[in-house]
Amino acid sequence: MVKFEHNGEHASITPNLSDGHTSPAADDDQQNGHDEYTDISQSAFAIEKRKLLDVIDKIRDIGGDVIPPLPRIVVIGNQSAGKSSLIEAVARINVPRDMGTCTRCPSEIRLRSSDGPWTCLISLRWEYDQNGQKLRDVQTVPFGEKFNDKSQVEPMLRRAQLAILNPKTEHRLFLDADLTKFENAGELNFSRNVICIEVTGPGLTDLTFVDLPGIISSVQDTSQTDLIELIKSMVKEYIGGNSIILVAITMRDDIDNQAAILEARKADPEGIRTIGVLTKPDTIQAGEESQWLPVVQNMKNRLRLGYFVTKQPSPSEIKVGTTFSKSRQSEQTFFRTTEPWASLPIDVRARLGTPNLTSTLSTLLTDAIKSSLPGIAGKINSSLQKVRLALAALPNEPSKNPLSDMLELCQQVRDELAHHIKGSEGHVELLQRNKANYENFKRLIHGTAPQFVPYTRQETAWNAGYSDPDFVSDESAERDDNPILNLDDIREIIAKATTRELPYSVPFPAKVYMMMKPIKKWPELADTCFDSIFPDVEKLCDTIATRAFGRFEHGPLLRLVRDILTDTITDLKQKTKVALSIVLEMEEFPGTLNQHYYTATRSKLIAHYQAQRKQRQTKPMSTFAFANASEYDDSNIAEAISALVRVHQYRDVKEEDLTKLLPEDPYTQDITFMADARAYFQVAYKRIIDNVPHAIDHNFIFPLARTIHEALISGLHMNTVEGAEKCREYLQESPHVVQKRETLQSTKNRLDRARAELRLIGL
């Protein structure tokens, strides 16, 4: 078991060893089979570890930006830092070594312990397109079949890398192709797509790690200078976030001069998630040990995860041939018998050798996965919820019956317009605005009423504050610029119209003139009323149509619908104008069957005008007379009543009876003329303030929904033989919506798969 001991600025990781040494890992070179390995590989701890690693690997294969950063071990190092030998020792496989910069794309190596036979499966994970842009859907495809021959690993990796570097060529062709035709003529010098190597068998430690191309500082071919920055940029991408950074550091060079450790320090300045692996300890010159021992003991260039030292076979040993078991035995012997390694403290010696490194890496990765999985699960669920909401917000996909869909959209427009016309709940704005316009029309019409005063021109100057009676007045009316006409004005109008009439007869043309004078202003007011309603209706129709057809604005449909609406509303407008003109033409000559109202209003007005005349001042009063008017009038009135009782034997004579003795008012005819004109205005006014709104509603508002629906059916050719095909063209979705739906659906599928994998381990 590996445990972390954090003390101050750094921590140590110490495998539990009885004597500070480990026996070499078993492999197929051993003659005694699996020995104790079988029991270890089948322990509950080992099974749990494999499940965790498998889940993370499968989620990574799902890939894409939608998956949160997953814990992983990333192996980096300078070219010739011994990284390839280290990878071979950990994975127990041979990798290509003679292909220029060797690795030209990332390799993800998945090791799984098993008591079954050794197997290997190589896959290609396509994360980027041919232009280096990230793919929406990550694809992991097998490269050939599983195989059991270890000697096939190296040539298969060569072929897989060539397939990655030639993305335009079908990858299966590289399984049997002549490699010499491609090695120097690849489509790409470098790729971010990944070779996945799954190795299962006895003697392996459950572990997954990514091997990146070695960092290079120079190239012989000047055409490949961009390769230096490409590799560095990929290294920066992989070692960011929560990755565990394994840096291969050759002991042949000064640690501070190696580019790989410098990149690790940039990504992990505090050294919290970096582990150093010192390679080639057998190349240290005499006297240089003191330079490296403080690093090995984590007292210099400190890292929280510390340093390990491994020794891999030399080129000469590789040339003569060696096995992985012999290499591990040789490594163990080297550290046990060679100074200064043999004399190091036991806790430091626990960091010597590939088996100790491999075991520690496995535990580090497993612990990182355990601690990250709840957060990963939460982010996946959160992302999945957002994606579902985004999908739900998109319009429904076109059905296989476009004609039905189009009819439904047209019906949607009709239904919504009908709600506004009826004033249904939540759709009252149109009727409220129309009502306000009608009320304003009413005030303006009433404001055209003729303004009469029952006084002569001279009397008008002596009598101020006259107002119409309540039964014909409207406090909210807006007064027109009609002149105020007195009795002298009326007499002049009558005189101008008089021809052969007998005395005391008022010419009928004079009455017509006075009655029609305000009515001539009504057509303009009716037009103003309708013109104030039309824009609101036009805007409402456009809003409703956009709501129904707006998602098709990329094509001709929305534009065509708007044209149809414009033409239809314009036609209704013209019909309404004609209807209004008819209504107003009916007011071109006085006439009414509402005789009762006319007669009653006329009588009230005559009485009102006469009463006003009786109460008028006939001449201005002096200050003295005004001061004594009350006393003087009261005595004269009393004397007059007394004389009538005494001389004429009248009984019960009252003050108001005295007016009956006065002579007839010489302006009685003119007062009657005023009453006739004003009474007729009231009749026509009450008629027009209903007829104009009714004409607008009947000819424009009420037929709106039905007429527009019929116009859409006809204008969109839905009532023709080619209607279905036309509708199919109209209802084609926006490429943007299609792409967005495909992206969201792809994201949802990947998140669903990732969540399903997490459920397998109880998350």
Side-chain angles (χ1 to χ4, degrees):
M1 169 140 337
V2 176
K3 59 182 179 179
F4 294 83
E5 298 175 354
H6 189 272
N7 182 16
E9 298 179 353
H10 67 284
S12 62
I13 307 172
T14 308
N16 287 342
L17 301 171
S18 59
D19 59 358
H21 301 284
T22 59
S23 60
D27 62 13
D28 57 355
D29 297 295
Q30 291 179 297
Q31 301 299 318
N32 59 350
H34 303 288
D35 52 54
E36 64 179 1
Y37 166 75
T38 301
D39 295 334
I40 296 174
S41 67
Q42 297 304 319
S43 68
F45 174 75
I47 293 173
E48 179 190 17
K49 181 185 292 187
R50 281 195 293 275
K51 286 182 178 179
L52 290 174
L53 293 173
D54 287 343
V55 164
I56 289 296
D57 289 343
K58 289 178 181 178
I59 293 177
R60 186 171 284 113
D61 282 342
I62 294 169
D65 296 334
V66 298
I67 305 299
L70 304 175
R72 60 185 171 188
I73 295 174
V74 180
V75 182
I76 65 172
N78 286 18
Q79 190 178 11
S80 303
K83 185 169 63 67
S84 296
S85 297
L86 178 63
I87 296 301
E88 289 183 336
V90 173
R92 304 171 71 84
I93 57 175
N94 293 321
V95 298
R97 289 173 173 271
D98 56 350
M99 296 177 64
T101 57
C102 298
T103 308
R104 290 179 177 266
C105 63
S107 297
E108 184 172 285
I109 303 173
R110 303 172 180 178
L111 307 176
R112 297 296 182 269
S113 59
S114 169
D115 59 349
W118 183 95
T119 61
C120 179
L121 174 64
I122 297 176
S123 303
L124 309 179
R125 189 165 72 222
W126 301 98
E127 299 181 4
Y128 297 84
D129 63 16
Q130 299 173 6
N131 299 317
Q133 301 297 316
K134 268 204 167 186
L135 294 172
R136 184 176 60 201
D137 290 329
V138 172
Q139 296 181 350
T140 303
V141 296
F143 185 70
E145 303 292 335
K146 274 187 180 181
F147 55 90
N148 303 100
D149 185 355
K150 288 186 176 183
S151 65
Q152 292 299 309
V153 174
E154 184 178 3
M156 283 294 287
L157 290 179
R158 292 176 184 271
R159 295 178 180 277
Q161 179 164 278
L162 285 173
I164 289 285
L165 296 176
N166 293 273
K168 296 180 182 178
T169 305
E170 171 57 45
H171 70 271
R172 294 182 182 86
L173 297 178
F174 292 96
L175 290 170
D176 302 308
D178 182 358
L179 301 185
T180 58
K181 295 181 179 180
F182 293 95
E183 288 185 356
N184 297 319
E187 298 166 12
L188 303 174
N189 289 326
F190 178 85
S191 176
R192 293 176 181 266
N193 291 313
V194 183
I195 299 175
C196 298
I197 308 158
E198 300 178 41
V199 182
T200 303
L204 296 174
T205 300
D206 295 309
L207 181 63
T208 298
F209 59 91
V210 180
D211 177 30
L212 297 182
I215 298 175
I216 55 178
S217 56
S218 62
V219 291
Q220 293 181 350
D221 187 349
T222 56
S223 64
Q224 297 184 2
T225 52
D226 59 338
L227 195 58
I228 298 174
E229 291 305 319
L230 281 173
I231 293 175
K232 281 188 177 181
S233 67
M234 189 187 67
V235 167
K236 290 177 182 178
E237 176 185 342
Y238 268 82
I239 64 177
N242 58 358
S243 297
I244 299 172
I245 309 170
L246 189 156
V247 189
I249 305 167
T250 175
M251 301 179 80
R252 295 174 59 179
D253 300 322
D254 186 346
I255 187 173
D256 292 323
N257 292 332
Q258 299 188 42
I261 192 66
L262 296 177
E263 292 296 335
R265 287 172 182 168
K266 292 178 185 177
D268 181 27
E270 298 180 4
I272 295 175
R273 51 188 180 85
T274 303
I275 185 168
V277 179
L278 306 178
T279 63
K280 305 182 180 181
D282 52 329
T283 63
I284 298 178
Q285 300 297 318
E288 293 181 353
E289 295 85 350
S290 58
Q291 171 185 337
W292 288 101
L293 287 179
V295 177
V296 175
Q297 294 172 328
N298 207 19
M299 294 186 293
K300 180 181 178 182
N301 296 316
R302 292 181 176 180
L303 299 173
R304 182 179 179 184
L305 302 180
Y307 293 85
F308 282 77
V309 185
T310 66
K311 177 187 177 301
Q312 308 307 332
S314 64
S316 58
E317 290 174 323
I318 295 174
K319 187 174 182 180
V320 299
T322 184
T323 65
F324 293 114
S325 292
K326 290 180 180 179
S327 297
R328 299 287 65 80
Q329 290 173 0
S330 175
E331 180 183 47
Q332 182 182 16
T333 301
F334 174 81
F335 287 124
R336 188 176 62 245
T337 61
T338 306
E339 295 296 340
W341 317 111
S343 302
L344 291 173
I346 188 172
D347 61 326
V348 179
R349 282 189 285 128
R351 290 176 164 274
L352 307 179
T354 303
N356 289 341
L357 169 65
T358 305
S359 175
T360 299
L361 291 176
S362 178
T363 304
L364 278 175
L365 181 59
T366 305
D367 289 343
I369 292 172
K370 282 183 178 179
S371 62
S372 300
L373 278 179
I376 292 172
K379 289 180 180 179
I380 287 175
N381 287 330
S382 174
S383 298
L384 190 56
Q385 180 65 16
K386 291 178 182 178
V387 168
R388 286 173 174 168
L389 291 174
L391 278 171
L394 290 177
N396 295 329
E397 295 184 64
S399 71
K400 296 180 180 179
N401 192 340
L403 182 59
S404 175
D405 288 348
M406 186 68 78
L407 287 170
E408 185 177 345
L409 290 172
C410 294
Q411 187 64 39
Q412 178 182 331
V413 171
R414 176 173 183 165
D415 291 345
E416 190 166 356
L417 275 173
H419 284 308
H420 284 279
I421 292 169
K422 294 176 183 176
S424 303
E425 183 178 359
H427 301 79
V428 299
E429 298 86 357
L430 177 64
L431 294 191
Q432 288 178 345
R433 287 195 296 268
N434 286 358
K435 184 177 181 181
N437 287 319
Y438 294 151
E439 289 288 344
N440 186 57
F441 172 71
K442 172 186 173 182
R443 289 192 294 271
L444 292 173
I445 291 293
H446 196 280
T448 64
Q451 300 184 57
F452 298 129
V453 291
Y455 309 135
T456 64
R457 191 172 291 120
Q458 189 175 39
E459 290 169 346
T460 301
W462 299 338
N463 294 269
Y466 172 79
S467 60
D468 284 336
D470 292 342
F471 59 86
V472 295
S473 66
D474 187 345
E475 294 180 359
S476 63
E478 296 184 14
R479 284 296 176 187
D480 202 342
D481 56 355
N482 294 336
I484 299 176
L485 301 177
N486 55 49
L487 292 172
D488 292 330
D489 296 326
I490 295 301
R491 183 160 289 185
E492 291 173 1
I493 291 172
I494 293 173
K496 288 180 180 180
T498 300
T499 55
R500 296 177 181 275
E501 284 79 10
L502 295 173
Y504 308 109
S505 297
V506 175
F508 187 66
K511 288 187 177 182
V512 172
Y513 166 78
M514 184 53 62
M515 291 177 179
M516 296 304 302
K517 188 175 181 181
I519 293 175
K520 289 180 179 179
K521 299 178 180 180
W522 291 359
E524 181 181 352
L525 298 181
D527 284 342
T528 300
C529 177
F530 181 55
D531 290 343
S532 64
I533 289 172
F534 180 79
D536 289 339
V537 173
E538 193 174 37
K539 182 178 179 181
L540 175 65
C541 291
D542 184 73
T543 299
I544 292 174
T546 302
R547 189 153 41 237
F549 296 94
R551 62 189 171 108
F552 303 104
E553 62 182 348
H554 58 280
L557 180 57
L558 180 60
R559 184 173 61 255
L560 179 57
V561 166
R562 282 175 169 161
D563 290 343
I564 293 171
L565 289 181
T566 299
D567 293 344
T568 304
I569 297 173
T570 301
D571 288 344
L572 287 175
K573 179 180 181 180
Q574 297 304 320
K575 291 178 181 178
T576 305
K577 291 279 189 179
V578 171
L580 288 174
S581 66
I582 293 173
V583 169
L584 292 162
E585 284 172 5
M586 291 189 293
E587 300 292 342
E588 287 185 354
F589 197 81
T592 182
L593 293 178
N594 192 3
Q595 296 176 1
H596 172 76
Y597 177 71
Y598 173 76
T599 302
T601 304
R602 178 178 178 273
S603 299
K604 289 180 181 180
L605 285 167
I606 291 174
H608 172 76
Y609 291 150
Q610 288 177 341
Q612 291 292 315
R613 284 196 59 72
K614 292 174 182 177
Q615 297 175 12
R616 76 191 187 283
Q617 296 289 340
T618 58
K619 61 180 179 179
M621 298 178 63
S622 65
T623 304
F624 174 78
F626 181 79
N628 296 279
S630 177
E631 180 181 354
Y632 177 79
D633 289 343
D634 288 346
S635 62
N636 287 344
I637 289 172
E639 290 179 7
I641 292 174
S642 176
L644 287 172
V645 172
R646 184 176 64 255
V647 175
H648 298 286
Q649 302 296 315
Y650 288 146
R651 297 180 179 178
D652 299 326
V653 177
K654 299 177 181 177
E655 181 180 341
E656 55 265 28
D657 295 330
L658 297 179
T659 59
K660 299 176 182 178
L661 302 176
L662 297 174
E664 181 180 0
D665 189 342
Y667 287 97
T668 298
Q669 177 178 270
D670 307 287
I671 286 175
T672 302
F673 183 90
M674 285 182 176
D676 287 344
R678 188 67 178 82
Y680 184 75
F681 176 85
Q682 284 300 112
V683 171
Y685 157 74
K686 290 185 177 294
R687 190 165 56 209
I688 201 68
I689 62 174
D690 280 337
N691 287 346
V692 166
H694 287 168
I696 294 173
D697 284 344
H698 180 75
N699 293 278
F700 188 67
I701 301 298
F702 294 158
L704 194 63
R706 172 182 53 79
T707 307
I708 285 179
H709 183 256
E710 292 173 353
L712 288 174
I713 297 295
S714 175
L716 296 174
H717 307 287
M718 286 185 279
N719 54 356
T720 63
V721 175
E722 65 273 14
E725 187 58 35
K726 283 283 186 182
C727 291
R728 191 182 310 280
E729 295 175 6
Y730 292 146
L731 295 180
Q732 287 183 352
E733 282 196 302
S734 162
H736 171 71
V737 173
V738 173
Q739 182 180 13
K740 187 174 183 180
R741 180 183 289 109
E742 290 177 353
T743 299
L744 288 171
Q745 190 59 54
S746 171
T747 299
K748 178 180 177 298
N749 292 339
R750 284 179 283 154
L751 289 170
D752 281 334
R753 288 163 54 197
R755 191 172 66 163
E757 294 296 336
L758 290 174
R759 283 176 174 172
L760 295 177
I761 56 173
L763 290 175

